[in-house]
Amino acid sequence: MLPAPATRDPRESMTVLPGFLQFPLTILTGKALPGQRSPGWTPTFHLVTATTSMAAGVLISTLAYALGGPFLLLLAAGWAVTLHGMRNLRMMIYHQCSHRNMYRRRSPDRAMGHAVSSLLIIQNFQRYSREHVSDHHALDHMTLKDPTVQAFLVSLDLHPGMTRRRMWRRLLGKLASPRFHFAFAVSRARSFWNESARTEKVAAVTLYGTLALVTAATGTWPALLVVWFVPLVPLFQVSNTLRLCVKHTFPEPSLEDRRSRAYFASLTNAIFLGDPAPAPQMPAARRALAWTRWTLRLLFVHAPSRYLVLTGDTVVHDFHHRHPRAANWPNYVFARQEDAERLAPGQPPYHEVWGLVPAISHVFDSLAAADPEEFDVDRLRSVSKRELFAAFDD
């Protein structure tokens, strides 16, 4: 597998900052310091924070829309907070429920999975659970049978042999395309409805039917579109697609070992956010400029990437693939660090890439070098593109 770029560990370099900043930096970067203690988060903590974030975002957007004028600028903040809650519901709560690992009991996990799919209109819980566990967490991982690979080849139209630049152009073109987003939204609705449980259908019809009737009767349907459907459809789908592009690397063509723990570990990297802190040996003026640049990039590049794309435990997705039913998943950042520190001799080491853009480029490079025969899209002609958008997330 293509090695992740070697560099000075950015997280270790940040220890020059005051101690009270170390916990926030751990959450933002996604990487804990050696020996750093876990806060003792629980599944309920993540459920409450995700739903609270979503509710707070809706409130902010509603107030901004109602007040109008310069307050409309707050819509962007409201959308961001709403999207963050939606993505955490999808990427942590729904995902862990599919592994029957949220509360580790079948009935509550399934009921919660149904509720999330009905609210967000995503692939129905039953089908997602089946495909995710049988095709993505098995020997077919990162083969043509894996929905993640199918999404790359068919929905994004990215293939072995393409240059990194061409892949980036195609990705950005898709994200800016109304046709892409319309097809994505239609796919979500169809994937939700097909095979969905009666409870999922009833919940979705009741929720969105009531919203439609109330907003039509009160003439507030434009507010519903702006406040709820902007983060639910285009923004959710942009985050979804960017997340897809960092999930897993493609195997090297010459690799014969396709069954060992080392092989499967090599297909997933942690994606951390941040830059190395400026070296203290620099002259004062250069050091001041370096810290200014470092701070601006942290606030306006890495923080949005963490908050809107690499939400929740997606930064340490490699830990999940090693331990898909880990009971300590709520403390994901710290659990991964502890696991990395206590790896037994012979166990495959963890890998990491720093930065959202470098992580996407790293995946694109692995696809560019992949075997074109192994990942020949013509072998997937029977796969419906409409069905593949639903596979964009782990």
Side-chain angles (χ1 to χ4, degrees):
M1 178 52 53
L2 295 174
T7 183
R8 180 166 67 108
D9 180 38
R11 184 66 189 93
E12 290 284 349
S13 73
M14 297 176 197
T15 56
V16 299
L17 292 166
F20 70 89
L21 292 176
Q22 296 308 315
F23 181 79
L25 285 171
T26 289
I27 304 306
L28 194 156
T29 62
K31 185 172 185 179
L33 292 169
Q36 194 171 26
R37 295 185 61 183
S38 160
W41 288 332
T42 65
T44 301
F45 170 83
H46 289 300
L47 175 62
V48 170
T49 54
T51 53
T52 300
S53 175
M54 196 166 53
V58 168
L59 178 60
I60 294 170
S61 298
T62 301
L63 290 174
Y65 185 86
L67 295 173
F71 291 98
L72 290 175
L73 295 174
L74 290 176
L75 276 175
W79 289 339
V81 177
T82 303
L83 177 63
H84 179 74
M86 289 176 170
R87 293 299 291 161
N88 276 343
L89 277 180
R90 168 61 186 86
M91 297 310 301
M92 285 197 294
I93 308 306
Y94 183 77
H95 182 207
Q96 291 297 332
C97 286
S98 75
H99 285 276
R100 204 183 300 173
N101 199 41
M102 179 68 181
Y103 290 110
R104 305 178 78 83
R105 297 197 302 274
R106 180 185 182 89
S107 294
D109 283 5
R110 181 172 57 184
M112 198 170 301
H114 287 177
V116 173
S117 63
S118 301
L119 176 66
L120 301 182
I121 312 298
I122 53 179
Q123 187 175 25
N124 68 77
F125 184 70
Q126 176 179 318
R127 181 171 180 179
Y128 172 76
S129 299
R130 182 178 66 247
E131 292 182 352
H132 181 68
V133 175
S134 64
D135 294 332
H136 189 67
H137 277 272
L139 293 178
D140 292 327
H141 180 53
M142 291 309 287
T143 69
L144 285 179
K145 293 183 179 180
D146 190 335
T148 297
V149 172
Q150 296 172 3
F152 259 99
L153 301 181
V154 180
S155 299
L156 291 185
D157 197 21
L158 303 177
H159 312 286
M162 293 176 64
T163 65
R164 178 200 293 183
R165 180 183 294 272
R166 188 180 175 192
M167 291 186 194
W168 268 108
R169 285 203 304 265
R170 184 155 295 177
L171 170 63
L172 296 177
K174 296 279 187 181
L175 295 180
S177 168
R179 181 177 180 181
F180 174 82
H181 284 286
F182 178 77
F184 200 155
V186 170
S187 170
R188 285 170 63 183
R190 288 182 173 177
S191 185
F192 167 77
W193 197 260
N194 293 337
E195 301 183 34
S196 60
R198 180 177 297 179
T199 54
E200 288 176 292
K201 289 184 172 73
V202 170
V205 170
T206 301
L207 172 62
Y208 285 99
T210 301
L211 284 175
L213 290 174
V214 170
T215 55
T218 59
T220 56
W221 62 266
L224 176 63
L225 294 177
V226 170
V227 170
W228 181 251
F229 281 96
V230 168
L232 179 68
V233 181
L235 298 184
F236 188 96
Q237 292 170 181
V238 168
S239 177
N240 219 8
T241 306
L242 292 174
R243 162 66 185 141
L244 166 75
C245 292
V246 298
K247 279 167 51 174
H248 300 291
T249 50
F250 287 76
E252 293 180 357
S254 59
L255 201 60
E256 296 182 0
D257 170 19
R258 298 293 180 100
R259 290 179 176 271
S260 69
R261 295 182 65 182
Y263 166 71
F264 288 108
S266 73
L267 300 178
T268 314
N269 302 302
I271 312 299
F272 298 140
L273 287 310
D275 301 312
Q281 299 85 1
M282 289 194 302
R286 286 184 57 194
R287 189 166 65 250
L289 288 174
W291 274 111
T292 299
R293 181 179 183 275
W294 184 91
T295 303
L296 290 174
R297 280 181 53 81
L298 188 75
L299 295 176
F300 298 106
V301 177
H302 300 303
S305 298
R306 178 76 167 104
Y307 193 72
L308 301 175
V309 179
L310 293 168
T311 58
D313 61 353
T314 58
V315 285
V316 291
H317 193 56
D318 53 351
F319 173 74
H320 168 71
H321 269 268
R322 291 179 186 234
H323 308 285
R325 282 184 51 81
N328 60 341
W329 72 264
N331 298 284
Y332 49 88
V333 169
F334 305 90
R336 188 224 188 238
Q337 181 62 31
E338 291 169 4
D339 194 53
E341 290 175 12
R342 63 169 183 254
L343 283 178
Q347 288 186 307
Y350 276 98
H351 305 281
E352 61 194 54
V353 181
W354 284 82
L356 178 61
V357 171
I360 295 175
S361 293
H362 183 58
V363 173
F364 284 174
D365 289 345
S366 73
L367 176 56
D371 185 349
E373 293 185 5
E374 181 180 358
F375 297 103
D376 184 359
V377 71
D378 289 337
R379 296 165 59 189
L380 291 173
R381 282 178 175 170
S382 62
V383 178
S384 169
K385 182 181 294 189
R386 290 192 299 267
E387 295 297 318
L388 291 180
F389 287 104
F392 270 24
D393 274 331
D394 258 349

PDB file of all heavy atoms in Angstrom, residues 14-37:
ATOM      1  N   MET A  14       2.369  20.202  19.317  1.00  0.00           N
ATOM      2  CA  MET A  14       1.438  21.150  19.938  1.00  0.00           C
ATOM      3  C   MET A  14       1.531  21.163  21.451  1.00  0.00           C
ATOM      4  O   MET A  14       0.865  21.967  22.109  1.00  0.00           O
ATOM      5  CB  MET A  14       0.005  20.824  19.513  1.00  0.00           C
ATOM      6  CG  MET A  14      -0.253  20.968  18.022  1.00  0.00           C
ATOM      7  SD  MET A  14      -1.934  20.447  17.585  1.00  0.00           S
ATOM      8  CE  MET A  14      -1.766  20.250  15.810  1.00  0.00           C
ATOM      9  N   THR A  15       2.344  20.289  22.033  1.00  0.00           N
ATOM     10  CA  THR A  15       2.478  20.267  23.493  1.00  0.00           C
ATOM     11  C   THR A  15       3.194  21.513  24.017  1.00  0.00           C
ATOM     12  O   THR A  15       3.234  21.728  25.237  1.00  0.00           O
ATOM     13  CB  THR A  15       3.228  19.005  23.951  1.00  0.00           C
ATOM     14  OG1 THR A  15       4.496  18.928  23.292  1.00  0.00           O
ATOM     15  CG2 THR A  15       2.417  17.755  23.636  1.00  0.00           C
ATOM     16  N   VAL A  16       3.749  22.337  23.120  1.00  0.00           N
ATOM     17  CA  VAL A  16       4.359  23.598  23.569  1.00  0.00           C
ATOM     18  C   VAL A  16       3.287  24.593  24.000  1.00  0.00           C
ATOM     19  O   VAL A  16       3.602  25.578  24.685  1.00  0.00           O
ATOM     20  CB  VAL A  16       5.222  24.214  22.445  1.00  0.00           C
ATOM     21  CG1 VAL A  16       6.349  23.287  22.067  1.00  0.00           C
ATOM     22  CG2 VAL A  16       4.376  24.584  21.231  1.00  0.00           C
ATOM     23  N   LEU A  17       2.036  24.347  23.618  1.00  0.00           N
ATOM     24  CA  LEU A  17       0.936  25.228  23.997  1.00  0.00           C
ATOM     25  C   LEU A  17       0.487  24.919  25.424  1.00  0.00           C
ATOM     26  O   LEU A  17       0.767  23.839  25.953  1.00  0.00           O
ATOM     27  CB  LEU A  17      -0.225  25.064  23.013  1.00  0.00           C
ATOM     28  CG  LEU A  17       0.068  25.567  21.598  1.00  0.00           C
ATOM     29  CD1 LEU A  17      -0.976  25.068  20.614  1.00  0.00           C
ATOM     30  CD2 LEU A  17       0.114  27.092  21.581  1.00  0.00           C
ATOM     31  N   PRO A  18      -0.233  25.849  26.070  1.00  0.00           N
ATOM     32  CA  PRO A  18      -0.650  25.646  27.465  1.00  0.00           C
ATOM     33  C   PRO A  18      -1.457  24.372  27.667  1.00  0.00           C
ATOM     34  O   PRO A  18      -2.164  23.908  26.752  1.00  0.00           O
ATOM     35  CB  PRO A  18      -1.501  26.892  27.758  1.00  0.00           C
ATOM     36  CG  PRO A  18      -1.001  27.920  26.801  1.00  0.00           C
ATOM     37  CD  PRO A  18      -0.608  27.174  25.556  1.00  0.00           C
ATOM     38  N   GLY A  19      -1.391  23.833  28.875  1.00  0.00           N
ATOM     39  CA  GLY A  19      -2.042  22.575  29.180  1.00  0.00           C
ATOM     40  C   GLY A  19      -3.546  22.585  28.988  1.00  0.00           C
ATOM     41  O   GLY A  19      -4.130  21.579  28.574  1.00  0.00           O
ATOM     42  N   PHE A  20      -4.219  23.737  29.275  1.00  0.00           N
ATOM     43  CA  PHE A  20      -5.673  23.769  29.160  1.00  0.00           C
ATOM     44  C   PHE A  20      -6.146  23.656  27.707  1.00  0.00           C
ATOM     45  O   PHE A  20      -7.331  23.415  27.463  1.00  0.00           O
ATOM     46  CB  PHE A  20      -6.238  25.044  29.805  1.00  0.00           C
ATOM     47  CG  PHE A  20      -5.933  26.311  29.058  1.00  0.00           C
ATOM     48  CD1 PHE A  20      -6.789  26.779  28.065  1.00  0.00           C
ATOM     49  CD2 PHE A  20      -4.790  27.041  29.350  1.00  0.00           C
ATOM     50  CE1 PHE A  20      -6.500  27.953  27.383  1.00  0.00           C
ATOM     51  CE2 PHE A  20      -4.497  28.217  28.664  1.00  0.00           C
ATOM     52  CZ  PHE A  20      -5.356  28.669  27.675  1.00  0.00           C
ATOM     53  N   LEU A  21      -5.227  23.834  26.751  1.00  0.00           N
ATOM     54  CA  LEU A  21      -5.583  23.710  25.342  1.00  0.00           C
ATOM     55  C   LEU A  21      -5.424  22.279  24.827  1.00  0.00           C
ATOM     56  O   LEU A  21      -5.884  21.978  23.717  1.00  0.00           O
ATOM     57  CB  LEU A  21      -4.723  24.645  24.485  1.00  0.00           C
ATOM     58  CG  LEU A  21      -4.959  26.141  24.649  1.00  0.00           C
ATOM     59  CD1 LEU A  21      -3.959  26.916  23.803  1.00  0.00           C
ATOM     60  CD2 LEU A  21      -6.392  26.509  24.256  1.00  0.00           C
ATOM     61  N   GLN A  22      -4.810  21.406  25.590  1.00  0.00           N
ATOM     62  CA  GLN A  22      -4.471  20.085  25.065  1.00  0.00           C
ATOM     63  C   GLN A  22      -5.703  19.212  24.801  1.00  0.00           C
ATOM     64  O   GLN A  22      -5.758  18.498  23.804  1.00  0.00           O
ATOM     65  CB  GLN A  22      -3.492  19.374  26.005  1.00  0.00           C
ATOM     66  CG  GLN A  22      -2.148  20.077  26.126  1.00  0.00           C
ATOM     67  CD  GLN A  22      -1.502  20.361  24.765  1.00  0.00           C
ATOM     68  OE1 GLN A  22      -1.472  19.488  23.888  1.00  0.00           O
ATOM     69  NE2 GLN A  22      -1.007  21.581  24.590  1.00  0.00           N
ATOM     70  N   PHE A  23      -6.697  19.265  25.686  1.00  0.00           N
ATOM     71  CA  PHE A  23      -7.904  18.469  25.431  1.00  0.00           C
ATOM     72  C   PHE A  23      -8.659  18.980  24.201  1.00  0.00           C
ATOM     73  O   PHE A  23      -9.015  18.174  23.321  1.00  0.00           O
ATOM     74  CB  PHE A  23      -8.819  18.447  26.656  1.00  0.00           C
ATOM     75  CG  PHE A  23     -10.062  17.618  26.447  1.00  0.00           C
ATOM     76  CD1 PHE A  23     -10.007  16.234  26.548  1.00  0.00           C
ATOM     77  CD2 PHE A  23     -11.273  18.214  26.141  1.00  0.00           C
ATOM     78  CE1 PHE A  23     -11.148  15.460  26.348  1.00  0.00           C
ATOM     79  CE2 PHE A  23     -12.417  17.458  25.947  1.00  0.00           C
ATOM     80  CZ  PHE A  23     -12.353  16.080  26.048  1.00  0.00           C
ATOM     81  N   PRO A  24      -8.925  20.301  24.077  1.00  0.00           N
ATOM     82  CA  PRO A  24      -9.557  20.780  22.836  1.00  0.00           C
ATOM     83  C   PRO A  24      -8.761  20.435  21.589  1.00  0.00           C
ATOM     84  O   PRO A  24      -9.344  20.107  20.547  1.00  0.00           O
ATOM     85  CB  PRO A  24      -9.643  22.299  23.044  1.00  0.00           C
ATOM     86  CG  PRO A  24      -9.648  22.478  24.524  1.00  0.00           C
ATOM     87  CD  PRO A  24      -8.780  21.387  25.067  1.00  0.00           C
ATOM     88  N   LEU A  25      -7.442  20.503  21.671  1.00  0.00           N
ATOM     89  CA  LEU A  25      -6.617  20.165  20.514  1.00  0.00           C
ATOM     90  C   LEU A  25      -6.729  18.684  20.167  1.00  0.00           C
ATOM     91  O   LEU A  25      -6.707  18.304  18.990  1.00  0.00           O
ATOM     92  CB  LEU A  25      -5.159  20.537  20.763  1.00  0.00           C
ATOM     93  CG  LEU A  25      -4.836  22.033  20.683  1.00  0.00           C
ATOM     94  CD1 LEU A  25      -3.414  22.298  21.174  1.00  0.00           C
ATOM     95  CD2 LEU A  25      -5.000  22.547  19.243  1.00  0.00           C
ATOM     96  N   THR A  26      -6.864  17.842  21.178  1.00  0.00           N
ATOM     97  CA  THR A  26      -7.048  16.413  20.924  1.00  0.00           C
ATOM     98  C   THR A  26      -8.348  16.168  20.177  1.00  0.00           C
ATOM     99  O   THR A  26      -8.391  15.400  19.206  1.00  0.00           O
ATOM    100  CB  THR A  26      -7.037  15.634  22.252  1.00  0.00           C
ATOM    101  OG1 THR A  26      -5.705  15.626  22.774  1.00  0.00           O
ATOM    102  CG2 THR A  26      -7.501  14.198  22.061  1.00  0.00           C
ATOM    103  N   ILE A  27      -9.428  16.807  20.603  1.00  0.00           N
ATOM    104  CA  ILE A  27     -10.721  16.627  19.942  1.00  0.00           C
ATOM    105  C   ILE A  27     -10.695  17.191  18.533  1.00  0.00           C
ATOM    106  O   ILE A  27     -11.217  16.588  17.592  1.00  0.00           O
ATOM    107  CB  ILE A  27     -11.847  17.275  20.765  1.00  0.00           C
ATOM    108  CG1 ILE A  27     -11.861  16.707  22.186  1.00  0.00           C
ATOM    109  CG2 ILE A  27     -13.198  17.074  20.082  1.00  0.00           C
ATOM    110  CD1 ILE A  27     -11.946  15.196  22.240  1.00  0.00           C
ATOM    111  N   LEU A  28     -10.070  18.352  18.345  1.00  0.00           N
ATOM    112  CA  LEU A  28     -10.032  18.972  17.025  1.00  0.00           C
ATOM    113  C   LEU A  28      -9.146  18.184  16.069  1.00  0.00           C
ATOM    114  O   LEU A  28      -9.546  17.915  14.926  1.00  0.00           O
ATOM    115  CB  LEU A  28      -9.542  20.418  17.140  1.00  0.00           C
ATOM    116  CG  LEU A  28      -9.738  21.323  15.924  1.00  0.00           C
ATOM    117  CD1 LEU A  28      -9.770  22.787  16.361  1.00  0.00           C
ATOM    118  CD2 LEU A  28      -8.659  21.142  14.870  1.00  0.00           C
ATOM    119  N   THR A  29      -7.963  17.815  16.502  1.00  0.00           N
ATOM    120  CA  THR A  29      -7.058  17.093  15.605  1.00  0.00           C
ATOM    121  C   THR A  29      -7.503  15.655  15.400  1.00  0.00           C
ATOM    122  O   THR A  29      -7.258  15.055  14.347  1.00  0.00           O
ATOM    123  CB  THR A  29      -5.624  17.068  16.155  1.00  0.00           C
ATOM    124  OG1 THR A  29      -5.608  16.379  17.411  1.00  0.00           O
ATOM    125  CG2 THR A  29      -5.088  18.489  16.331  1.00  0.00           C
ATOM    126  N   GLY A  30      -8.164  15.075  16.413  1.00  0.00           N
ATOM    127  CA  GLY A  30      -8.559  13.677  16.347  1.00  0.00           C
ATOM    128  C   GLY A  30      -7.513  12.733  16.899  1.00  0.00           C
ATOM    129  O   GLY A  30      -7.710  11.518  16.874  1.00  0.00           O
ATOM    130  N   LYS A  31      -6.405  13.276  17.414  1.00  0.00           N
ATOM    131  CA  LYS A  31      -5.331  12.423  17.926  1.00  0.00           C
ATOM    132  C   LYS A  31      -5.037  12.767  19.373  1.00  0.00           C
ATOM    133  O   LYS A  31      -4.765  13.928  19.708  1.00  0.00           O
ATOM    134  CB  LYS A  31      -4.060  12.576  17.095  1.00  0.00           C
ATOM    135  CG  LYS A  31      -2.961  11.606  17.532  1.00  0.00           C
ATOM    136  CD  LYS A  31      -1.768  11.615  16.599  1.00  0.00           C
ATOM    137  CE  LYS A  31      -0.765  10.541  17.024  1.00  0.00           C
ATOM    138  NZ  LYS A  31       0.414  10.494  16.129  1.00  0.00           N
ATOM    139  N   ALA A  32      -5.079  11.756  20.236  1.00  0.00           N
ATOM    140  CA  ALA A  32      -4.765  11.937  21.654  1.00  0.00           C
ATOM    141  C   ALA A  32      -3.258  11.860  21.868  1.00  0.00           C
ATOM    142  O   ALA A  32      -2.523  11.234  21.099  1.00  0.00           O
ATOM    143  CB  ALA A  32      -5.468  10.876  22.488  1.00  0.00           C
ATOM    144  N   LEU A  33      -2.814  12.477  22.923  1.00  0.00           N
ATOM    145  CA  LEU A  33      -1.420  12.361  23.320  1.00  0.00           C
ATOM    146  C   LEU A  33      -1.199  11.041  24.054  1.00  0.00           C
ATOM    147  O   LEU A  33      -2.141  10.502  24.659  1.00  0.00           O
ATOM    148  CB  LEU A  33      -1.042  13.523  24.241  1.00  0.00           C
ATOM    149  CG  LEU A  33      -1.010  14.905  23.598  1.00  0.00           C
ATOM    150  CD1 LEU A  33      -0.878  15.982  24.679  1.00  0.00           C
ATOM    151  CD2 LEU A  33       0.125  15.014  22.589  1.00  0.00           C
ATOM    152  N   PRO A  34      -0.009  10.496  24.016  1.00  0.00           N
ATOM    153  CA  PRO A  34       0.254   9.262  24.767  1.00  0.00           C
ATOM    154  C   PRO A  34      -0.089   9.430  26.243  1.00  0.00           C
ATOM    155  O   PRO A  34       0.318  10.398  26.879  1.00  0.00           O
ATOM    156  CB  PRO A  34       1.763   9.056  24.564  1.00  0.00           C
ATOM    157  CG  PRO A  34       2.067   9.742  23.267  1.00  0.00           C
ATOM    158  CD  PRO A  34       1.168  10.937  23.236  1.00  0.00           C
ATOM    159  N   GLY A  35      -0.886   8.500  26.751  1.00  0.00           N
ATOM    160  CA  GLY A  35      -1.252   8.541  28.154  1.00  0.00           C
ATOM    161  C   GLY A  35      -2.360   9.507  28.509  1.00  0.00           C
ATOM    162  O   GLY A  35      -2.764   9.582  29.675  1.00  0.00           O
ATOM    163  N   GLN A  36      -2.884  10.253  27.542  1.00  0.00           N
ATOM    164  CA  GLN A  36      -3.950  11.212  27.836  1.00  0.00           C
ATOM    165  C   GLN A  36      -5.221  10.468  28.244  1.00  0.00           C
ATOM    166  O   GLN A  36      -5.624   9.510  27.600  1.00  0.00           O
ATOM    167  CB  GLN A  36      -4.221  12.096  26.616  1.00  0.00           C
ATOM    168  CG  GLN A  36      -5.065  13.322  26.913  1.00  0.00           C
ATOM    169  CD  GLN A  36      -5.121  14.266  25.715  1.00  0.00           C
ATOM    170  OE1 GLN A  36      -4.958  13.851  24.563  1.00  0.00           O
ATOM    171  NE2 GLN A  36      -5.352  15.539  25.977  1.00  0.00           N
ATOM    172  N   ARG A  37      -5.869  10.929  29.306  1.00  0.00           N
ATOM    173  CA  ARG A  37      -7.007  10.213  29.857  1.00  0.00           C
ATOM    174  C   ARG A  37      -8.287  10.477  29.081  1.00  0.00           C
ATOM    175  O   ARG A  37      -8.527  11.586  28.613  1.00  0.00           O
ATOM    176  CB  ARG A  37      -7.204  10.596  31.326  1.00  0.00           C
ATOM    177  CG  ARG A  37      -6.065  10.175  32.238  1.00  0.00           C
ATOM    178  CD  ARG A  37      -6.390  10.485  33.686  1.00  0.00           C
ATOM    179  NE  ARG A  37      -7.577   9.772  34.140  1.00  0.00           N
ATOM    180  CZ  ARG A  37      -8.113   9.913  35.349  1.00  0.00           C
ATOM    181  NH1 ARG A  37      -7.554  10.740  36.228  1.00  0.00           N
ATOM    182  NH2 ARG A  37      -9.185   9.229  35.690  1.00  0.00           N
TER     183      ARG A  37
END
